[in-house]
Amino acid sequence: EAGVAQSPRYKIIEKRQSVAFWCNPISGHATLYWYQQILGQGPKLLIQFQNNGVVDDSQLPKDRFSAERLKGVDSTLKIQPAKLEDSAVYLCASSYSRHEIRGKLFFGSGTQLSVL
Amino acid sequence: DAKTTQPPSMDCAEGRAANLPCNHSTISGNEYVYWYRQIHSQGPQYIIHGLKNNETNEMASLIITEDRKSSTLILPHATLRDTAVYYCIVRPGGGATNKLIFGTGTLLAVQP
């Protein structure tokens, strides 16, 4: 079974530049998540989609971050403009919608962003 | 905010059982206990979850106390590849929209 695919694996940009990350979840997974993980901390949920609708974006800095999941499959997360404090690993995850295994998330390997 | 408390780090000898504790004293009746681990440079990986009964799968065992205020993840025969950060998470059951909130976890170092 193919896992969650993310690209790019690494990205280095200068502050005030823009960057976009792409995620392709496991086939058939209705729920998709973007997490931000700063070095030394646990992952922090930025946004959660159920199919192509946003379920929770309460932790997303909406003045600079945006995300979309067109057609309820793959998703992009964009930062514009980037700040130094956005340096982190951005993780995408997906999960089944069936009741008994909600909460079992499958994560990609992440995109490591360095803002200089 | 995370609703669990874990020691920041633990050591374990290779081949021995690793017992990772988690305190979740404010857990409510409909909340499950989930365990994930994160190996260096990888995304977190699901290990196991439970509500009130002990659970076992091919990766680990989960022991939940009768009052559900704490739990222990057991890796029966730790190997060097089990070195990782282990996260204990409580999450309400039922809704697909319920969030999985990570704390800082326990860094388990398996020593040769």
Side-chain angles (χ1 to χ4, degrees):
Chain A
E1 174 183 85
V4 175
Q6 289 190 249
S7 67
R9 187 74 177 89
Y10 303 93
K11 190 72 177 180
I12 301 174
I13 61 172
E14 294 187 350
K15 60 183 180 182
R16 292 187 289 273
Q17 286 188 323
S18 303
V19 64
F21 313 125
W22 174 82
C23 172
N24 192 327
I26 293 173
S27 177
H29 282 195
T31 311
L32 185 146
Y33 314 77
W34 283 101
Y35 283 83
Q36 178 194 58
Q37 186 171 24
I38 293 171
L39 187 65
Q41 299 180 17
K44 170 189 164 185
L45 180 66
L46 292 176
I47 189 168
Q48 179 178 342
F49 292 93
Q50 182 73 10
N51 296 309
N52 60 352
V54 175
V55 171
D56 187 332
D57 62 358
S58 58
Q59 297 296 306
L60 188 73
K62 298 180 187 65
D63 58 334
R64 298 184 300 106
F65 285 64
S66 64
E68 60 182 9
R69 190 183 184 196
L70 299 176
K71 301 180 181 178
V73 182
D74 56 356
S75 176
T76 56
L77 176 69
K78 297 179 182 178
I79 307 175
Q80 181 179 11
K83 292 185 176 181
L84 297 177
E85 59 260 35
D86 298 332
S87 294
V89 175
Y90 291 85
L91 295 159
C92 179
S94 66
S95 67
Y96 291 104
S97 60
R98 284 163 44 199
H99 169 76
E100 65 273 18
I101 42 180
R102 290 169 183 166
K104 182 177 180 180
L105 274 60
F106 295 80
F107 283 82
S109 296
T111 295
Q112 185 171 329
L113 174 67
S114 297
V115 182
L116 306 178
Chain B
D1 292 332
K3 299 165 68 173
T4 62
T5 303
Q6 298 178 254
S9 64
M10 293 181 63
D11 289 342
C12 177
E14 189 177 20
R16 306 297 291 269
N19 296 278
L20 292 96
C22 180
N23 184 295
H24 31 80
S25 57
T26 61
I27 194 170
S28 58
N30 70 335
E31 289 183 315
Y32 288 72
V33 179
Y34 286 80
W35 283 85
Y36 279 74
R37 74 179 183 183
Q38 187 171 23
I39 295 169
H40 183 63
S41 296
Q42 297 183 20
Q45 175 191 25
Y46 167 87
I47 301 173
I48 198 167
H49 75 283
L51 182 61
K52 53 185 177 182
N53 297 321
N54 298 337
E55 303 286 346
T56 296
N57 63 19
E58 65 279 4
M59 292 183 69
S61 295
L62 173 60
I63 307 299
I64 302 175
T65 58
E66 191 169 345
D67 63 8
R68 302 211 320 123
K69 293 185 177 182
S70 65
S71 61
T72 301
L73 179 75
I74 301 172
L75 308 178
H77 305 286
T79 71
L80 298 179
R81 288 173 294 186
D82 293 320
T83 292
V85 177
Y86 287 78
Y87 297 99
C88 170
I89 303 164
V90 296
R91 175 188 181 272
T97 60
N98 293 322
K99 294 185 282 192
L100 207 64
I101 299 174
F102 289 80
T104 52
T106 295
L107 174 59
L108 175 68
V110 181
Q111 310 288 349

